[in-house]
């Protein structure tokens, strides 16, 4: 690692001081290689074969197998149960493509799909860098200390991106889970980076190229047409990956157009919003149309809400369902009822039973809802097969970053960091559905890039305050 004839120290290399234009590619490739090496050396691609490889993608794996074997988007459990909308289609189709080329439930397919997960996870660090740079470079763009603010912003952005690239907890879902988390997190983080740019935060003309297609430096006072197009397309992909996050879409859109509304530029805001809505509908319409044809009913994105809500009203679970939403085995009576009624009718009936339970026991439902709020941020119950101390360490790590992220958000709002209110709305809205239905540790993952940035900001701010206080004492 050299710059001219001088050797470059590791710290300077990680900060990108040899060539700033390479820093993002370096972060991505280091994060990607670390993930693939761990997955390969630790053999996490050797997925257990129990229950006919069900842990290889769970319902999504079953649907992918059904697609490859010519049975259509169907059969999310054991046996043939007919068409399904139990999960959104983006990741099952990606997994089906891998199965088609490398075999159904093979180790080669497992290695390939986890490598793809690793690529999405590593690419999230690029979005993290841009999010942090936008927010903290825009603190005092016209002040006498703007240059120092820009340096601090780059430092926060680099620390955040490297933390995501190398911290084990940030990569666990990419290297162990055949599920949509890494894809969803990348899309959601890219959307946040785009939203900040559309709001005009961070002086775009001075920001380095991030590699995203909308990254065109300009001094626009309102979002560009191409940005509205990408905003709609990305949200469409998010909906097809994890539709639960759609609850955040209205707040995010309103946050973007708020300056235009305040300046009474209603025409520009309306045109952009409509263009984005058209792009969003163009992405999700084929899936909605397919569900209408398959079920003869309107299924916006998923069909299993009633079944999940039913599990939430089994009050003996103390707010955390301990068993599967539906019995998998084809011979089980509950599975036979699901197969006989059809997925939509079954889920609707389960939902009616759940609503009756909630009306009969509102106090128990409220109590379990508060438990789920706690579980979402502090860590969910988890089997302690690996030992009590390992479990305690896992929960401490999970809870620590929730606390540091919340404190970082509080500090960012207090210091009027641009974008802080967007993060607040994300923290408030994205988990909302889970509070009332079910919660798992992976549900926090889409918010963890923001948690990462705010945690770095918190500790960088504490460090800067300590240094400033030390200098003040010396001057006295």
């Amino acid at each position: 690692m050299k710059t001219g004839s001088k050797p470059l120290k590791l710290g300077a290399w990680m900060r990108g001081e040899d060539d700033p234009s390479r820093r993002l590619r370096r972060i991505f490739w280091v994060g990607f290689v670390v993930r693939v090496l761990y997955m390969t050396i630790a053999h996490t691609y050797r997925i257990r074969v129990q229950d006919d490889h069900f842990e290889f993608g769970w319902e999504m794996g079953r649907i992918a197998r059904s697609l490859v074997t010519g049975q259509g988007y169907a059969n999310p459990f054991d046996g043939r149960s007919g068409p399904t909308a139990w999960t959104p289609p983006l990741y099952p189709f990606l997994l089906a493509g891998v199965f088609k080329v490398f075999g159904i439930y093979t180790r080669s397919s497992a290695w390939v799909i986890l490598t793809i997960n690793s690529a999405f996870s590593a690419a999230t660090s690029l979005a993290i860098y841009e999010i942090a740079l936008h927010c903290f470079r825009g603190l005092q763009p016209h002040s006498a200390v703007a240059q120092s603010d820009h340096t601090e912003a780059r430092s926060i952005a680099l620390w955040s991106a490297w933390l995501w690239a190398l911290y084990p907890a940030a990569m666990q879902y990419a290297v162990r889970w055949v599920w949509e988390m890494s894809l969803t997190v990348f899309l959601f983080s890219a959307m946040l980076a785009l939203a900040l740019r559309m709001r005009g935060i961070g002086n775009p003309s001075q920001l380095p190229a991030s590699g995203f297609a909308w990254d065109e430096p300009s001094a626009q006072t309102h979002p560009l047409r191409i940005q509205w197009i990408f905003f709609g397309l990305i949200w469409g992909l998010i909906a097809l990956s994890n539709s639960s996050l759609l609850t955040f879409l209205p707040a995010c859109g309103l946050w973007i157009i708020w300056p235009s509304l305040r300046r009474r530029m209603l025409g520009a805001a309306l045109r952009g919003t409509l263009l984005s809505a058209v792009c969003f509908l163009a992405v999700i319409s084929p899936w909605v149309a397919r569900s209408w044809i398959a079920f003869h009913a309107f299924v916006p994105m998923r069909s299993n809400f009633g079944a999940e809500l039913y599990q939430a009203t089994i009050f003996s679970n103390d707010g955390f369902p301990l068993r599967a939403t539906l019995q998998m085995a084809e011979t089980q009576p509950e599975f036979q009822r699901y197969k006989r009624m059809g997925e939509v009718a079954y889920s609707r009936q389960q939902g009616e039973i759940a609503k009756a339970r909630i009306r009969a026991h509102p106090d128990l439902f409220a109590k379990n809802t508060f438990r789920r709020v706690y579980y979402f941020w502090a860590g969910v119950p988890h089997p302690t097969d690996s030992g009590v101390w390992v479990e305690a360490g896992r929960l401490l790590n999970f809870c620590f970053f929730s606390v540091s992220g919340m404190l970082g958000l509080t500090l960012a709002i207090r210091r009027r960091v641009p974008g802080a209110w967007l993060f607040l709305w994300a923290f408030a809205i994205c988990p909302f559905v889970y509070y009332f239905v079910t919660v798992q540790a992976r549900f926090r993952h889409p918010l963890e890039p923001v948690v990462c940035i705010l945690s770095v900001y918190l500790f960088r701010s504490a460090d800067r305050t300590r240094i400033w206080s030390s200098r003040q004492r010396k001057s006295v």
Side-chain angles (χ1 to χ4, degrees), residues 153-176:
R154 199 185 88 167
S155 178
I156 294 172
L158 284 170
W159 273 101
S160 301
W162 277 115
L163 179 61
W164 184 269
L166 298 176
Y167 187 55
M171 64 180 75
Q172 60 175 322
Y173 298 115
V175 299
R176 291 183 177 276

Side-chain angles (χ1 to χ4, degrees), residues 118 149 289 312 419:
S118 297
D149 283 341

Side-chain angles (χ1 to χ4, degrees), residues 385-450:
D385 298 341
S386 55
V388 175
W389 292 109
V390 173
E391 173 67 6
R394 185 189 70 84
L395 291 175
L396 180 62
N397 174 75
F398 192 91
C399 187
F400 173 81
F401 274 97
S402 290
V403 172
S404 62
M406 292 291 186
L407 291 176
L409 177 62
T410 302
L411 181 63
I413 292 174
R414 182 179 178 182
R415 294 184 176 178
R416 299 184 179 182
V417 172
W421 282 98
L422 178 65
F423 301 155
L424 175 63
W425 286 118
F427 279 27
I429 295 174
C430 289
F432 196 72
V433 174
Y434 302 127
Y435 294 157
F436 293 96
V437 181
T438 186
V439 62
Q440 295 185 26
R442 60 188 173 88
F443 295 162
R444 196 190 72 170
H445 200 47
L447 296 175
E448 287 177 349
V450 177

Side-chain angles (χ1 to χ4, degrees), residues 48-326:
R48 292 193 297 180
V49 301
Q50 282 86 346
D51 297 322
D52 190 19
H53 302 87
F54 189 65
E55 289 188 16
F56 195 134
W58 291 271
E59 294 94 329
M60 292 189 182
R62 290 289 195 259
I63 295 170
R65 181 177 67 177
S66 180
L67 287 167
V68 174
T69 55
Q71 299 173 36
Y73 199 90
N75 312 323
F77 304 102
D78 288 344
R80 295 191 179 188
S81 56
T84 184
W86 198 268
T87 68
L90 189 58
Y91 197 82
F93 272 103
L94 174 62
L95 184 55
V98 174
F99 281 175
K100 186 72 173 179
V101 177
F102 297 96
I104 298 174
Y105 291 146
T106 64
R107 286 186 176 176
S108 296
S109 291
W111 191 90
V112 170
I113 193 63
L114 291 178
T115 299
I116 294 173
N117 285 356
S118 297
F120 285 125
S121 181
T124 300
S125 60
L126 309 184
I128 288 174
Y129 180 90
E130 185 176 350
I131 291 169
L133 201 61
H134 273 294
C135 288
F136 303 109
R137 200 166 190 171
L139 281 173
Q140 295 175 308
H142 304 297
S143 70
V145 294
Q147 187 58 45
S148 63
D149 283 341
H150 292 173
T151 302
E152 182 65 18
R154 199 185 88 167
S155 178
I156 294 172
L158 284 170
W159 273 101
S160 301
W162 277 115
L163 179 61
W164 184 269
L166 298 176
Y167 187 55
M171 64 180 75
Q172 60 175 322
Y173 298 115
V175 299
R176 291 183 177 276
W177 285 64
V178 180
W179 202 255
E180 45 73 29
M181 284 86 73
S182 296
L183 171 60
T184 298
V185 168
F186 168 70
L187 292 171
F188 193 74
S189 301
M191 180 278 301
L192 291 177
L194 174 59
L196 291 166
R197 192 172 286 273
M198 293 173 72
R199 181 71 181 257
I201 288 175
N203 197 1
S205 61
Q206 297 181 17
L207 292 175
S210 65
F212 294 108
W214 59 77
D215 189 1
E216 293 294 335
S218 66
Q220 84 260 21
T221 57
H222 55 82
L224 301 175
R225 183 178 301 174
I226 187 65
Q227 293 174 330
W228 279 118
I229 291 173
F230 272 103
F231 187 75
L233 294 177
I234 293 174
W235 265 112
L237 293 175
I238 291 172
L240 297 179
S241 182
N242 183 352
S243 53
S244 299
L245 295 174
L246 285 176
T247 54
F248 180 59
L249 173 56
C252 185
L254 181 61
W255 182 83
I256 291 172
I257 65 174
W258 184 250
S260 296
L261 296 179
R262 291 185 64 183
R263 294 195 295 265
R264 301 183 185 277
M265 299 172 61
L266 300 181
L270 182 61
R271 286 192 298 271
T273 303
L274 288 177
L275 177 60
S276 188
V278 168
C279 295
F280 173 78
L281 292 174
V283 174
I284 69 169
S285 292
W287 171 245
V288 176
R290 172 265 169 194
S291 296
W292 177 268
I293 295 170
F295 300 112
H296 306 289
F298 177 66
V299 180
M301 295 306 303
R302 302 181 66 175
S303 61
N304 66 331
F305 180 79
E308 298 290 351
L309 185 62
Y310 175 87
Q311 292 293 315
T313 58
I314 300 176
F315 300 118
S316 59
N317 289 340
D318 292 332
F320 182 72
L322 299 176
R323 62 184 181 88
T325 305
L326 180 66

